[in-house]
Amino acid sequence: MKDKRISLRFREENEHEREAWKCLEEYAKRENISKNAALIDLILSGGSKDNSVEEMAEQIANAVTEKL
């Protein structure tokens, strides 16, 4: 399987994004994993058993669209 890629930007002048970056850094450091692995963990843990894969994908797509 080929790699799938996404570019995610955190703007320091945006308080919400700056806080998200700090959380990501802290989580990655605490778990001793890369930021990429931390994002994957957080995405996968963000859904509950009640959410379907399609619902999670839609939530992620909506979040990305809002940032564009």
Side-chain angles (χ1 to χ4, degrees), residues 2-59:
K2 292 184 179 181
D3 289 347
K4 307 289 188 213
R5 296 175 187 256
I6 185 171
S7 177
L8 186 58
R9 188 178 331 218
F10 296 87
R11 295 173 295 203
E12 290 210 12
E13 65 274 3
N14 181 303
E15 182 180 349
H16 190 67
E17 293 180 24
R18 187 174 54 248
E19 186 64 29
W21 176 256
K22 286 172 43 178
C23 289
L24 177 61
E25 281 188 315
E26 290 171 9
Y27 180 82
K29 186 175 182 177
R30 182 176 62 245
E31 299 297 318
N32 195 30
I33 57 178
S34 70
K35 288 178 188 70
N36 186 67
L39 283 170
I40 291 169
D41 282 357
L42 293 169
I43 289 169
L44 292 176
S45 69
S48 68
K49 292 180 182 177
D50 296 337
N51 287 346
S52 68
V53 173
E54 291 83 13
E55 289 172 347
M56 285 180 57
E58 185 174 332
Q59 290 172 357

